[in-house]
């Protein structure tokens, strides 16, 4: 057995499935983040696996950003991760930029990926358009957007692969990035020896893609700067949540039916209500409603009740920033210990020589 494999076997939690996921501090977290990802992290993933959850702050720099705001949102996102129920005794909660291995491995991923496959990423194309539309700056000054927006999925792959992750619980919008991550892991392993575990995405059974309440053909996304009436934020006051849900755009036709293609507004409300109340099939719910009004009312109350404990816990935690900071410090330390041997192995495998006195595999890392 190689030294790397030996070290990895000694890591805490070796033998259990490993889970990694992250959230970008580009805006206030939304109901989409919660139903698509965070709720499952707290309810199932942290209990049944060796799980890491990360505020992926480096990813927030891929678009125009205000430094003070990113810092504030990172702290808030970390606090919310704890507020939704992630327990530092069960899982590792940390901030991406506190662990150098992410950026270290991202470079090797850029050396593994091709420009063409990066350009095909839908999120890249969408965010590029959004950035383009933001200001009145000319194409020249804009320069086509930040280079990091294009290479972002290489960093995301590094986030995941550094930890030998088996499962990545995410919303449906991340499926393409996960496919790319799998391709990069397989390509790297084929070229240089088996260093990485090939991970897979997991999605929730309903509400894997919560749509904007005002524009139900677009994802409810926290990075939007305008038109926030269709976005429910985790920290919205109950009255605000009610107003947003009650004013949700529904579809022209009468009658409550579940049809994502033809009736996206109603389908979205049914999915949200189903996800909040633990009903597996939104179509089943449709049958019990005669009018949009009643559906909206129930959906609004269900969301208010779902978010109430999160808001309350957030307020408690926000009053104790020392605790949150300590959790993040310990989390980063643990994460570093988990990522380091594998990233070192990857450096060795591609032919980068070790510094004197350092141990590094040479393409022989296998586990
Ligand atoms: P992001 O806000 O892009 O950092 O996303 C963090 C996590 O939330 C990812 O797993 C996303 O797939 C998930 N997510 C974000 N928006 C939505 C949405 N509208 N519906 C479902 N999942 C979402
Ligand atoms: N790209 C993800 C998003 O936009 C965020 C993310 C970055 C992520 N690195 C990750 C998610 C690693 C899961 C695992 O939502």
């Amino acid at each position: 057995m190689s030294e790397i494999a030996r070290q990895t076997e000694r890591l805490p939690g070796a033998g259990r499935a490993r889970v990694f996921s992250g959230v970008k501090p580009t805006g206030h977290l939304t109901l989409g983040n919660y139903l698509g990802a965070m709720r499952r992290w707290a309810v199932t993933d942290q209990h049944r696996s060796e799980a890491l959850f990360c505020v992926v702050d480096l990813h927030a720099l891929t678009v125009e950003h205000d430094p003070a705001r990113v810092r504030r949102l990172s702290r808030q996102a970390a606090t919310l991760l704890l507020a939704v129920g992630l327990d530092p005794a069960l899982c590792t909660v940390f901030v991406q930029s506190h662990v150098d291995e992410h950026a270290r491995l991202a470079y090797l991923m850029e050396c593994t990926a091709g420009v063409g496959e990066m350009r095909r990423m839908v999120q890249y194309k969408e965010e590029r358009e959004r950035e383009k539309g933001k200001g009145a700056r000319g194409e020249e000054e804009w320069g086509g957007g930040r280079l990091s927006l294009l290479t972002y999925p290489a960093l995301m792959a590094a986030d995941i692969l550094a930890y030998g992750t088996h499962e990545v619980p995410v919303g449906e919008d991340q499926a393409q990035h996960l496919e790319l991550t799998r391709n990069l892991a397989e390509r790297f392993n084929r070229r240089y020896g088996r260093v990485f575990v090939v991970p897979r995405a997991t999605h929730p059974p309903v509400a894997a893609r919560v749509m904007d309440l005002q524009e139900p053909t677009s994802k409810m996304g926290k990075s939007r700067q305008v038109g926030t009436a269709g976005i429910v934020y985790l920290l919205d006051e109950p009255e605000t949540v009610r107003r947003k849900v009650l004013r949700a755009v529904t579809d022209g036709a009468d009658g409550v039916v579940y049809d994502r293609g033809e009736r996206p507004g109603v389908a979205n409300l049914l999915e949200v209500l189903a996800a909040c109340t633990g009903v597996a099939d939104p179509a089943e719910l449709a049958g019990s409603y005669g009018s949009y009004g009643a559906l909206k009312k129930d959906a609004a109350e269900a969301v208010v009740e779902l978010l109430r404990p999160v808001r309350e816990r957030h307020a408690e935690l926000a009053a104790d920033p020392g605790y949150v900071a300590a959790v993040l410090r310990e989390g980063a330390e643990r994460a570093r210990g988990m990522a380091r041997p594998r990233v070192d192995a990857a450096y060795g495998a591609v032919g980068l020589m070790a510094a004197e006195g350092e141990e590094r595999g040479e393409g022989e890392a296998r586990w």
Side-chain angles (χ1 to χ4, degrees):
M1 198 193 292
S2 74
E3 178 54 23
I4 300 302
R6 260 194 303 278
Q7 285 174 15
T8 317
E9 288 219 332
R10 282 199 300 269
L11 291 176
R16 287 167 87 198
R18 190 162 288 180
V19 163
F20 181 98
S21 201
V23 61
K24 298 192 297 259
T26 44
H28 298 286
L29 302 196
T30 73
L31 181 65
N33 293 129
Y34 188 54
L35 292 180
M38 293 158 73
R39 183 164 66 158
R40 280 184 307 143
W41 303 350
V43 175
T44 49
D45 296 317
Q46 68 172 345
H47 298 285
R48 61 166 187 79
S49 49
E50 171 76 11
L52 298 105
F53 302 105
C54 185
V55 177
V56 286
D57 55 349
L58 297 175
H59 288 276
L61 312 187
T62 55
V63 291
E64 249 193 274
H65 74 283
D66 168 28
R69 183 165 187 265
V70 167
R71 199 157 25 240
R72 207 168 50 241
L73 289 172
S74 298
R75 202 170 297 131
Q76 188 187 69
T79 307
L80 273 168
L81 289 181
L82 302 178
V84 302
L86 293 183
D87 177 352
L90 297 175
C91 65
T92 302
V93 178
F94 70 106
V95 175
Q96 183 188 33
S97 65
H98 296 176
V99 179
D100 292 344
E101 314 312 316
H102 294 250
R104 254 182 99 212
L105 183 57
Y107 182 68
L108 295 197
M109 289 299 118
E110 287 182 20
C111 296
T112 307
V115 177
E117 59 192 346
M118 292 290 168
R119 283 197 203 281
R120 283 197 293 277
M121 294 294 117
V122 172
Q123 192 170 5
Y124 164 68
K125 291 191 220 168
E126 286 174 356
E127 297 210 1
R128 187 172 184 275
E129 286 312 304
R130 190 167 35 230
E131 281 293 287
K132 204 175 184 174
K134 254 189 208 165
R137 289 159 302 152
E139 172 77 17
E140 200 179 325
E141 188 193 333
W142 183 61
R146 294 187 182 180
L147 179 58
S148 57
L149 187 60
L150 179 64
T151 57
Y152 169 127
L155 176 58
M156 177 164 167
D159 298 338
I160 296 166
L161 299 180
Y163 296 95
T165 303
H166 301 98
E167 288 176 22
V168 187
V170 281
E172 210 174 71
D173 61 322
Q174 295 304 310
Q176 194 188 26
H177 288 157
L178 258 295
E179 264 321 294
L180 177 74
T181 302
R182 290 168 59 84
N183 289 339
L184 295 180
E186 280 165 358
R187 194 178 304 157
F188 188 102
N189 287 348
R190 208 164 44 240
R191 284 185 187 158
Y192 308 112
R194 208 173 91 75
V195 174
F196 297 119
V197 172
V198 180
R200 66 182 187 93
T202 63
H203 304 293
V206 270
R209 189 180 189 87
V210 177
M211 308 307 269
D212 189 289
L213 297 173
Q214 287 300 316
E215 219 184 295
T217 48
S218 316
K219 176 182 88 167
M220 184 184 282
K222 68 170 130 58
S223 320
R224 290 173 76 117
Q225 308 282 331
V226 285
T228 55
I231 306 173
V232 175
Y233 297 104
L234 295 187
L235 294 178
D236 275 346
E237 302 280 338
E239 263 324 298
T240 310
V241 173
R242 282 193 191 97
R243 193 178 63 240
K244 288 176 177 175
V245 178
L246 293 176
R247 290 192 189 158
V249 166
T250 38
D251 316 294
D254 277 341
V256 178
V257 289
Y258 180 67
D259 181 341
R260 267 191 102 162
E262 296 294 320
R263 312 277 292 277
V266 173
N268 192 37
L269 288 172
L270 286 167
E271 288 205 18
V272 166
L273 178 59
C276 290
T277 52
V279 172
D281 182 6
E284 197 181 293
L285 275 180
S288 34
Y289 286 96
S291 73
Y292 293 158
L295 169 62
K296 283 183 178 176
K297 209 157 156 274
D298 282 3
E301 289 315 310
V303 176
V304 165
E305 289 315 313
L306 183 79
L307 299 187
R308 188 187 303 285
V310 176
R311 270 183 77 235
E312 288 173 0
R313 185 82 182 112
H314 176 271
E316 285 167 25
L317 288 161
D320 191 358
Y323 169 73
V324 178
V327 167
L328 296 178
R329 197 178 331 109
E330 276 172 37
E333 214 166 286
R334 204 149 36 162
R336 259 181 237 123
M338 290 189 207
R340 180 93 203 198
R342 196 172 313 258
V343 177
D344 277 351
Y347 267 60
V350 297
L352 300 172
M353 65 181 272
E356 204 177 59
E358 222 176 45
E359 288 208 48
R360 211 180 249 182
E362 290 180 5
E364 289 303 316
R366 283 172 202 286
W367 54 77

